[in-house]
Amino acid sequence: MTNFLEGRVGEQKFQDGHLFPKVLVPAHNSHKEDFAAASMAVEENRAWIEQELHECGAILFRGFGLKSAEDFNSFVEALGWEEQPYKGPAPRKNIVGRVWSANEAPLHQHIFFHHEMALTKEFPSKIIFYCEVAPPEGGETAIVQSHRVAAHMEHNFPEVVQQLDTNGIFTHTLLPKNDNLGYFLGKSWQSHLQTDNPKEAQRKVEDGGGKLQWMEDGSANIIAGPIPATRSFQGYGDRKVWFNYIPAATYGKNEASLNRLICGDGSDIPERVMEESGRIMDEESVDVKWEAGDVLLIDNLAVMHARRPSKGPRRVLVAICK
Ligand code: FE2
């Protein structure tokens, strides 16, 4: 590709025959930090970028001169992928166009590994992050190739994983009656479901394939599932990905999680399975160290992401695509 050169960052890992994530920098010195040139190059090479993303799972663009949320919105438009409306419990604010703040929760909170909107029927195929302000310390976006996690788990716990695939997993998510911006899954049921009407809320959850249980304190327990622990998607051969919320329950122990997971047969997921799932993600993952102006494309059908705790200021924005 004449417009892009492959770059390197220290945290990349060599996995399955290529570097993860792929890093792209401007090919011409004269184009460094030249956002107009970058946008044009992205637009001209959409198909190639999509193919590379499919191959590598994640691409970091560095040095292309993005300075603002508006620039990022243009970059996203240049990629030409259709917008996916966000339906999830993370507190987010619309910044401009199709660009949102990634999560309004305090920066010291670790956000566990997940595929975006994995509990819903319509999850995005791609996520695009942009770093407007890089944190002084910590705050990496961690990414992990989900098929490596699934393969490891199947190898270590063949029977449990088979059972979780057959019976599925029910994921309970407790949505408070008031927005709680102090927690990274803290949206109230009204904000999450975009209605104040309990009947309407119930209908929306049921239309999405879930169940809604009203709690005594006015909060809503949304039960998604049963959803199998692993999935495979067309175009990825026989690879399976770890497309579940098991990490939510693992991290929940430390962070007063509002998520609870139960096997489809009513039993608890074995502790050792949850712990190993968290351990292998950390072992296999890459912590992408943000620099201001970076854009990180993630294939949501192949790669999970997480947020490491940081000191402020840190401003990472997001756009999600169908
Ligand atoms: Fe996310």
PDB file of all heavy atoms in Angstrom, residues 175 189-190 193-215 219-223:
ATOM      1  N   LEU A 175     -29.740  -3.156  36.511  1.00  0.00           N
ATOM      2  CA  LEU A 175     -29.699  -1.746  36.103  1.00  0.00           C
ATOM      3  C   LEU A 175     -30.367  -0.903  37.180  1.00  0.00           C
ATOM      4  O   LEU A 175     -31.533  -1.118  37.519  1.00  0.00           O
ATOM      5  CB  LEU A 175     -30.439  -1.554  34.776  1.00  0.00           C
ATOM      6  CG  LEU A 175     -29.882  -2.331  33.585  1.00  0.00           C
ATOM      7  CD1 LEU A 175     -30.746  -2.103  32.361  1.00  0.00           C
ATOM      8  CD2 LEU A 175     -28.452  -1.911  33.291  1.00  0.00           C
ATOM      9  N   TRP A 189     -32.003   1.873  34.203  1.00  0.00           N
ATOM     10  CA  TRP A 189     -32.810   1.147  33.204  1.00  0.00           C
ATOM     11  C   TRP A 189     -33.483   2.111  32.245  1.00  0.00           C
ATOM     12  O   TRP A 189     -33.644   1.830  31.063  1.00  0.00           O
ATOM     13  CB  TRP A 189     -33.788   0.169  33.858  1.00  0.00           C
ATOM     14  CG  TRP A 189     -34.871   0.740  34.726  1.00  0.00           C
ATOM     15  CD1 TRP A 189     -34.848   0.840  36.090  1.00  0.00           C
ATOM     16  CD2 TRP A 189     -36.140   1.284  34.302  1.00  0.00           C
ATOM     17  NE1 TRP A 189     -36.012   1.418  36.540  1.00  0.00           N
ATOM     18  CE2 TRP A 189     -36.831   1.695  35.469  1.00  0.00           C
ATOM     19  CE3 TRP A 189     -36.766   1.465  33.069  1.00  0.00           C
ATOM     20  CZ2 TRP A 189     -38.102   2.270  35.440  1.00  0.00           C
ATOM     21  CZ3 TRP A 189     -38.037   2.041  33.025  1.00  0.00           C
ATOM     22  CH2 TRP A 189     -38.686   2.439  34.198  1.00  0.00           C
ATOM     23  N   GLN A 190     -33.833   3.325  32.765  1.00  0.00           N
ATOM     24  CA  GLN A 190     -34.493   4.305  31.885  1.00  0.00           C
ATOM     25  C   GLN A 190     -33.549   4.758  30.768  1.00  0.00           C
ATOM     26  O   GLN A 190     -33.949   4.853  29.615  1.00  0.00           O
ATOM     27  CB  GLN A 190     -34.952   5.533  32.704  1.00  0.00           C
ATOM     28  CG  GLN A 190     -36.032   5.229  33.723  1.00  0.00           C
ATOM     29  CD  GLN A 190     -35.449   4.921  35.097  1.00  0.00           C
ATOM     30  OE1 GLN A 190     -34.366   4.348  35.200  1.00  0.00           O
ATOM     31  NE2 GLN A 190     -36.168   5.277  36.139  1.00  0.00           N
ATOM     32  N   LEU A 193     -32.731   1.680  28.406  1.00  0.00           N
ATOM     33  CA  LEU A 193     -33.822   1.235  27.521  1.00  0.00           C
ATOM     34  C   LEU A 193     -34.540   2.403  26.852  1.00  0.00           C
ATOM     35  O   LEU A 193     -35.475   2.205  26.078  1.00  0.00           O
ATOM     36  CB  LEU A 193     -34.818   0.384  28.325  1.00  0.00           C
ATOM     37  CG  LEU A 193     -34.189  -0.882  28.926  1.00  0.00           C
ATOM     38  CD1 LEU A 193     -35.078  -1.477  29.996  1.00  0.00           C
ATOM     39  CD2 LEU A 193     -33.906  -1.897  27.829  1.00  0.00           C
ATOM     40  N   GLN A 194     -34.105   3.600  27.171  1.00  0.00           N
ATOM     41  CA  GLN A 194     -34.650   4.834  26.580  1.00  0.00           C
ATOM     42  C   GLN A 194     -36.170   4.953  26.718  1.00  0.00           C
ATOM     43  O   GLN A 194     -36.886   5.235  25.754  1.00  0.00           O
ATOM     44  CB  GLN A 194     -34.222   4.939  25.116  1.00  0.00           C
ATOM     45  CG  GLN A 194     -32.740   5.204  25.031  1.00  0.00           C
ATOM     46  CD  GLN A 194     -32.192   5.147  23.632  1.00  0.00           C
ATOM     47  OE1 GLN A 194     -32.892   4.842  22.680  1.00  0.00           O
ATOM     48  NE2 GLN A 194     -30.914   5.424  23.497  1.00  0.00           N
ATOM     49  N   THR A 195     -36.640   4.694  27.926  1.00  0.00           N
ATOM     50  CA  THR A 195     -38.053   4.904  28.255  1.00  0.00           C
ATOM     51  C   THR A 195     -38.209   5.000  29.776  1.00  0.00           C
ATOM     52  O   THR A 195     -37.421   4.420  30.516  1.00  0.00           O
ATOM     53  CB  THR A 195     -38.949   3.766  27.718  1.00  0.00           C
ATOM     54  OG1 THR A 195     -40.286   3.991  28.162  1.00  0.00           O
ATOM     55  CG2 THR A 195     -38.517   2.393  28.225  1.00  0.00           C
ATOM     56  N   ASP A 196     -39.240   5.765  30.206  1.00  0.00           N
ATOM     57  CA  ASP A 196     -39.548   5.822  31.639  1.00  0.00           C
ATOM     58  C   ASP A 196     -40.685   4.870  31.970  1.00  0.00           C
ATOM     59  O   ASP A 196     -41.066   4.720  33.117  1.00  0.00           O
ATOM     60  CB  ASP A 196     -39.996   7.248  32.029  1.00  0.00           C
ATOM     61  CG  ASP A 196     -38.829   8.214  32.004  1.00  0.00           C
ATOM     62  OD1 ASP A 196     -37.687   7.746  32.176  1.00  0.00           O
ATOM     63  OD2 ASP A 196     -39.067   9.419  31.801  1.00  0.00           O
ATOM     64  N   ASN A 197     -41.249   4.267  30.945  1.00  0.00           N
ATOM     65  CA  ASN A 197     -42.434   3.439  31.118  1.00  0.00           C
ATOM     66  C   ASN A 197     -42.042   1.963  31.354  1.00  0.00           C
ATOM     67  O   ASN A 197     -41.457   1.326  30.474  1.00  0.00           O
ATOM     68  CB  ASN A 197     -43.275   3.580  29.840  1.00  0.00           C
ATOM     69  CG  ASN A 197     -44.546   2.777  29.897  1.00  0.00           C
ATOM     70  OD1 ASN A 197     -44.620   1.733  30.549  1.00  0.00           O
ATOM     71  ND2 ASN A 197     -45.561   3.262  29.203  1.00  0.00           N
ATOM     72  N   PRO A 198     -42.367   1.436  32.551  1.00  0.00           N
ATOM     73  CA  PRO A 198     -41.946   0.070  32.867  1.00  0.00           C
ATOM     74  C   PRO A 198     -42.442  -0.978  31.855  1.00  0.00           C
ATOM     75  O   PRO A 198     -41.713  -1.916  31.522  1.00  0.00           O
ATOM     76  CB  PRO A 198     -42.535  -0.186  34.248  1.00  0.00           C
ATOM     77  CG  PRO A 198     -42.761   1.170  34.834  1.00  0.00           C
ATOM     78  CD  PRO A 198     -43.053   2.078  33.683  1.00  0.00           C
ATOM     79  N   LYS A 199     -43.677  -0.793  31.345  1.00  0.00           N
ATOM     80  CA  LYS A 199     -44.216  -1.782  30.395  1.00  0.00           C
ATOM     81  C   LYS A 199     -43.439  -1.752  29.082  1.00  0.00           C
ATOM     82  O   LYS A 199     -43.139  -2.779  28.479  1.00  0.00           O
ATOM     83  CB  LYS A 199     -45.699  -1.496  30.119  1.00  0.00           C
ATOM     84  CG  LYS A 199     -46.575  -2.081  31.199  1.00  0.00           C
ATOM     85  CD  LYS A 199     -48.020  -2.192  30.744  1.00  0.00           C
ATOM     86  CE  LYS A 199     -48.838  -2.798  31.874  1.00  0.00           C
ATOM     87  NZ  LYS A 199     -50.110  -2.131  32.068  1.00  0.00           N
ATOM     88  N   GLU A 200     -43.155  -0.528  28.664  1.00  0.00           N
ATOM     89  CA  GLU A 200     -42.374  -0.333  27.439  1.00  0.00           C
ATOM     90  C   GLU A 200     -40.966  -0.944  27.615  1.00  0.00           C
ATOM     91  O   GLU A 200     -40.423  -1.592  26.712  1.00  0.00           O
ATOM     92  CB  GLU A 200     -42.290   1.185  27.176  1.00  0.00           C
ATOM     93  CG  GLU A 200     -41.398   1.610  26.035  1.00  0.00           C
ATOM     94  CD  GLU A 200     -42.051   1.460  24.670  1.00  0.00           C
ATOM     95  OE1 GLU A 200     -43.214   1.017  24.606  1.00  0.00           O
ATOM     96  OE2 GLU A 200     -41.364   1.753  23.673  1.00  0.00           O
ATOM     97  N   ALA A 201     -40.416  -0.742  28.810  1.00  0.00           N
ATOM     98  CA  ALA A 201     -39.084  -1.290  29.112  1.00  0.00           C
ATOM     99  C   ALA A 201     -39.116  -2.810  28.986  1.00  0.00           C
ATOM    100  O   ALA A 201     -38.238  -3.424  28.354  1.00  0.00           O
ATOM    101  CB  ALA A 201     -38.661  -0.879  30.522  1.00  0.00           C
ATOM    102  N   GLN A 202     -40.154  -3.392  29.579  1.00  0.00           N
ATOM    103  CA  GLN A 202     -40.327  -4.852  29.544  1.00  0.00           C
ATOM    104  C   GLN A 202     -40.401  -5.349  28.088  1.00  0.00           C
ATOM    105  O   GLN A 202     -39.748  -6.307  27.702  1.00  0.00           O
ATOM    106  CB  GLN A 202     -41.650  -5.185  30.248  1.00  0.00           C
ATOM    107  CG  GLN A 202     -41.871  -6.658  30.512  1.00  0.00           C
ATOM    108  CD  GLN A 202     -41.735  -6.972  31.993  1.00  0.00           C
ATOM    109  OE1 GLN A 202     -41.912  -6.078  32.819  1.00  0.00           O
ATOM    110  NE2 GLN A 202     -41.405  -8.189  32.323  1.00  0.00           N
ATOM    111  N   ARG A 203     -41.199  -4.630  27.303  1.00  0.00           N
ATOM    112  CA  ARG A 203     -41.382  -5.039  25.903  1.00  0.00           C
ATOM    113  C   ARG A 203     -40.056  -4.979  25.140  1.00  0.00           C
ATOM    114  O   ARG A 203     -39.708  -5.877  24.399  1.00  0.00           O
ATOM    115  CB  ARG A 203     -42.424  -4.126  25.227  1.00  0.00           C
ATOM    116  CG  ARG A 203     -42.853  -4.602  23.846  1.00  0.00           C
ATOM    117  CD  ARG A 203     -43.703  -3.577  23.116  1.00  0.00           C
ATOM    118  NE  ARG A 203     -43.055  -2.288  22.932  1.00  0.00           N
ATOM    119  CZ  ARG A 203     -42.073  -2.056  22.070  1.00  0.00           C
ATOM    120  NH1 ARG A 203     -41.634  -3.011  21.300  1.00  0.00           N
ATOM    121  NH2 ARG A 203     -41.540  -0.844  21.971  1.00  0.00           N
ATOM    122  N   LYS A 204     -39.294  -3.902  25.389  1.00  0.00           N
ATOM    123  CA  LYS A 204     -38.025  -3.740  24.675  1.00  0.00           C
ATOM    124  C   LYS A 204     -37.052  -4.867  25.014  1.00  0.00           C
ATOM    125  O   LYS A 204     -36.368  -5.396  24.143  1.00  0.00           O
ATOM    126  CB  LYS A 204     -37.379  -2.394  25.022  1.00  0.00           C
ATOM    127  CG  LYS A 204     -38.046  -1.223  24.332  1.00  0.00           C
ATOM    128  CD  LYS A 204     -37.230   0.043  24.524  1.00  0.00           C
ATOM    129  CE  LYS A 204     -37.745   1.147  23.611  1.00  0.00           C
ATOM    130  NZ  LYS A 204     -36.934   2.356  23.657  1.00  0.00           N
ATOM    131  N   VAL A 205     -37.026  -5.223  26.293  1.00  0.00           N
ATOM    132  CA  VAL A 205     -36.107  -6.294  26.701  1.00  0.00           C
ATOM    133  C   VAL A 205     -36.543  -7.616  26.063  1.00  0.00           C
ATOM    134  O   VAL A 205     -35.716  -8.371  25.527  1.00  0.00           O
ATOM    135  CB  VAL A 205     -36.059  -6.420  28.244  1.00  0.00           C
ATOM    136  CG1 VAL A 205     -35.301  -7.668  28.670  1.00  0.00           C
ATOM    137  CG2 VAL A 205     -35.419  -5.176  28.854  1.00  0.00           C
ATOM    138  N   GLU A 206     -37.855  -7.877  26.085  1.00  0.00           N
ATOM    139  CA  GLU A 206     -38.357  -9.138  25.514  1.00  0.00           C
ATOM    140  C   GLU A 206     -38.152  -9.188  24.000  1.00  0.00           C
ATOM    141  O   GLU A 206     -37.796 -10.224  23.452  1.00  0.00           O
ATOM    142  CB  GLU A 206     -39.817  -9.362  25.904  1.00  0.00           C
ATOM    143  CG  GLU A 206     -39.908  -9.828  27.355  1.00  0.00           C
ATOM    144  CD  GLU A 206     -41.310  -9.740  27.953  1.00  0.00           C
ATOM    145  OE1 GLU A 206     -42.261  -9.517  27.191  1.00  0.00           O
ATOM    146  OE2 GLU A 206     -41.422  -9.881  29.187  1.00  0.00           O
ATOM    147  N   ASP A 207     -38.331  -8.037  23.348  1.00  0.00           N
ATOM    148  CA  ASP A 207     -38.070  -7.990  21.899  1.00  0.00           C
ATOM    149  C   ASP A 207     -36.618  -8.329  21.588  1.00  0.00           C
ATOM    150  O   ASP A 207     -36.306  -8.882  20.536  1.00  0.00           O
ATOM    151  CB  ASP A 207     -38.376  -6.596  21.330  1.00  0.00           C
ATOM    152  CG  ASP A 207     -39.874  -6.361  21.210  1.00  0.00           C
ATOM    153  OD1 ASP A 207     -40.635  -7.314  21.457  1.00  0.00           O
ATOM    154  OD2 ASP A 207     -40.274  -5.227  20.915  1.00  0.00           O
ATOM    155  N   GLY A 208     -35.734  -7.969  22.514  1.00  0.00           N
ATOM    156  CA  GLY A 208     -34.312  -8.252  22.325  1.00  0.00           C
ATOM    157  C   GLY A 208     -33.945  -9.674  22.730  1.00  0.00           C
ATOM    158  O   GLY A 208     -32.772 -10.036  22.729  1.00  0.00           O
ATOM    159  N   GLY A 209     -34.946 -10.439  23.140  1.00  0.00           N
ATOM    160  CA  GLY A 209     -34.692 -11.841  23.488  1.00  0.00           C
ATOM    161  C   GLY A 209     -34.373 -12.070  24.956  1.00  0.00           C
ATOM    162  O   GLY A 209     -34.044 -13.181  25.361  1.00  0.00           O
ATOM    163  N   GLY A 210     -34.470 -11.014  25.796  1.00  0.00           N
ATOM    164  CA  GLY A 210     -34.160 -11.172  27.220  1.00  0.00           C
ATOM    165  C   GLY A 210     -35.406 -11.170  28.090  1.00  0.00           C
ATOM    166  O   GLY A 210     -36.537 -11.155  27.584  1.00  0.00           O
ATOM    167  N   LYS A 211     -35.175 -11.204  29.405  1.00  0.00           N
ATOM    168  CA  LYS A 211     -36.287 -11.108  30.362  1.00  0.00           C
ATOM    169  C   LYS A 211     -35.988  -9.972  31.320  1.00  0.00           C
ATOM    170  O   LYS A 211     -34.830  -9.710  31.629  1.00  0.00           O
ATOM    171  CB  LYS A 211     -36.382 -12.400  31.182  1.00  0.00           C
ATOM    172  CG  LYS A 211     -36.913 -13.567  30.419  1.00  0.00           C
ATOM    173  CD  LYS A 211     -37.348 -14.659  31.409  1.00  0.00           C
ATOM    174  CE  LYS A 211     -37.755 -15.920  30.677  1.00  0.00           C
ATOM    175  NZ  LYS A 211     -36.604 -16.684  30.173  1.00  0.00           N
ATOM    176  N   LEU A 212     -37.050  -9.334  31.821  1.00  0.00           N
ATOM    177  CA  LEU A 212     -36.843  -8.245  32.780  1.00  0.00           C
ATOM    178  C   LEU A 212     -37.544  -8.582  34.083  1.00  0.00           C
ATOM    179  O   LEU A 212     -38.717  -8.942  34.091  1.00  0.00           O
ATOM    180  CB  LEU A 212     -37.381  -6.934  32.201  1.00  0.00           C
ATOM    181  CG  LEU A 212     -36.985  -5.655  32.942  1.00  0.00           C
ATOM    182  CD1 LEU A 212     -37.072  -4.454  32.007  1.00  0.00           C
ATOM    183  CD2 LEU A 212     -37.826  -5.392  34.161  1.00  0.00           C
ATOM    184  N   GLN A 213     -36.790  -8.468  35.161  1.00  0.00           N
ATOM    185  CA  GLN A 213     -37.332  -8.750  36.492  1.00  0.00           C
ATOM    186  C   GLN A 213     -37.244  -7.458  37.301  1.00  0.00           C
ATOM    187  O   GLN A 213     -36.149  -6.889  37.410  1.00  0.00           O
ATOM    188  CB  GLN A 213     -36.365  -9.741  37.151  1.00  0.00           C
ATOM    189  CG  GLN A 213     -36.968 -10.979  37.722  1.00  0.00           C
ATOM    190  CD  GLN A 213     -35.840 -11.919  38.184  1.00  0.00           C
ATOM    191  OE1 GLN A 213     -34.757 -11.497  38.555  1.00  0.00           O
ATOM    192  NE2 GLN A 213     -36.135 -13.205  38.165  1.00  0.00           N
ATOM    193  N   TRP A 214     -38.374  -7.000  37.866  1.00  0.00           N
ATOM    194  CA  TRP A 214     -38.325  -5.777  38.681  1.00  0.00           C
ATOM    195  C   TRP A 214     -37.875  -6.127  40.085  1.00  0.00           C
ATOM    196  O   TRP A 214     -38.363  -7.087  40.682  1.00  0.00           O
ATOM    197  CB  TRP A 214     -39.680  -5.086  38.694  1.00  0.00           C
ATOM    198  CG  TRP A 214     -40.049  -4.572  37.342  1.00  0.00           C
ATOM    199  CD1 TRP A 214     -40.971  -5.104  36.490  1.00  0.00           C
ATOM    200  CD2 TRP A 214     -39.451  -3.473  36.650  1.00  0.00           C
ATOM    201  NE1 TRP A 214     -40.992  -4.396  35.313  1.00  0.00           N
ATOM    202  CE2 TRP A 214     -40.072  -3.380  35.383  1.00  0.00           C
ATOM    203  CE3 TRP A 214     -38.455  -2.548  36.971  1.00  0.00           C
ATOM    204  CZ2 TRP A 214     -39.732  -2.411  34.443  1.00  0.00           C
ATOM    205  CZ3 TRP A 214     -38.127  -1.573  36.035  1.00  0.00           C
ATOM    206  CH2 TRP A 214     -38.756  -1.512  34.792  1.00  0.00           C
ATOM    207  N   MET A 215     -36.964  -5.340  40.632  1.00  0.00           N
ATOM    208  CA  MET A 215     -36.470  -5.587  41.974  1.00  0.00           C
ATOM    209  C   MET A 215     -37.206  -4.644  42.938  1.00  0.00           C
ATOM    210  O   MET A 215     -37.767  -3.624  42.525  1.00  0.00           O
ATOM    211  CB  MET A 215     -34.951  -5.348  42.058  1.00  0.00           C
ATOM    212  CG  MET A 215     -34.151  -6.068  40.970  1.00  0.00           C
ATOM    213  SD  MET A 215     -34.432  -7.852  40.908  1.00  0.00           S
ATOM    214  CE  MET A 215     -33.320  -8.404  42.194  1.00  0.00           C
ATOM    215  N   SER A 219     -34.882  -1.114  40.892  1.00  0.00           N
ATOM    216  CA  SER A 219     -33.917  -1.409  39.824  1.00  0.00           C
ATOM    217  C   SER A 219     -34.466  -2.560  38.975  1.00  0.00           C
ATOM    218  O   SER A 219     -35.434  -3.226  39.348  1.00  0.00           O
ATOM    219  CB  SER A 219     -32.546  -1.750  40.412  1.00  0.00           C
ATOM    220  OG  SER A 219     -32.652  -2.814  41.313  1.00  0.00           O
ATOM    221  N   ALA A 220     -33.864  -2.743  37.814  1.00  0.00           N
ATOM    222  CA  ALA A 220     -34.341  -3.778  36.884  1.00  0.00           C
ATOM    223  C   ALA A 220     -33.236  -4.794  36.647  1.00  0.00           C
ATOM    224  O   ALA A 220     -32.094  -4.424  36.353  1.00  0.00           O
ATOM    225  CB  ALA A 220     -34.738  -3.133  35.567  1.00  0.00           C
ATOM    226  N   ASN A 221     -33.598  -6.060  36.787  1.00  0.00           N
ATOM    227  CA  ASN A 221     -32.625  -7.125  36.502  1.00  0.00           C
ATOM    228  C   ASN A 221     -32.919  -7.652  35.103  1.00  0.00           C
ATOM    229  O   ASN A 221     -33.993  -8.175  34.839  1.00  0.00           O
ATOM    230  CB  ASN A 221     -32.771  -8.239  37.543  1.00  0.00           C
ATOM    231  CG  ASN A 221     -31.767  -9.348  37.330  1.00  0.00           C
ATOM    232  OD1 ASN A 221     -30.680  -9.118  36.809  1.00  0.00           O
ATOM    233  ND2 ASN A 221     -32.132 -10.565  37.726  1.00  0.00           N
ATOM    234  N   ILE A 222     -31.945  -7.476  34.217  1.00  0.00           N
ATOM    235  CA  ILE A 222     -32.144  -7.967  32.853  1.00  0.00           C
ATOM    236  C   ILE A 222     -31.410  -9.286  32.701  1.00  0.00           C
ATOM    237  O   ILE A 222     -30.216  -9.393  33.004  1.00  0.00           O
ATOM    238  CB  ILE A 222     -31.637  -6.944  31.832  1.00  0.00           C
ATOM    239  CG1 ILE A 222     -32.498  -5.694  31.959  1.00  0.00           C
ATOM    240  CG2 ILE A 222     -31.704  -7.494  30.419  1.00  0.00           C
ATOM    241  CD1 ILE A 222     -32.284  -4.666  30.922  1.00  0.00           C
ATOM    242  N   ILE A 223     -32.150 -10.282  32.252  1.00  0.00           N
ATOM    243  CA  ILE A 223     -31.545 -11.605  32.109  1.00  0.00           C
ATOM    244  C   ILE A 223     -31.410 -11.912  30.616  1.00  0.00           C
ATOM    245  O   ILE A 223     -32.404 -12.006  29.895  1.00  0.00           O
ATOM    246  CB  ILE A 223     -32.405 -12.683  32.794  1.00  0.00           C
ATOM    247  CG1 ILE A 223     -32.666 -12.268  34.251  1.00  0.00           C
ATOM    248  CG2 ILE A 223     -31.726 -14.049  32.737  1.00  0.00           C
ATOM    249  CD1 ILE A 223     -33.714 -13.114  34.948  1.00  0.00           C
TER     250      ILE A 223
END
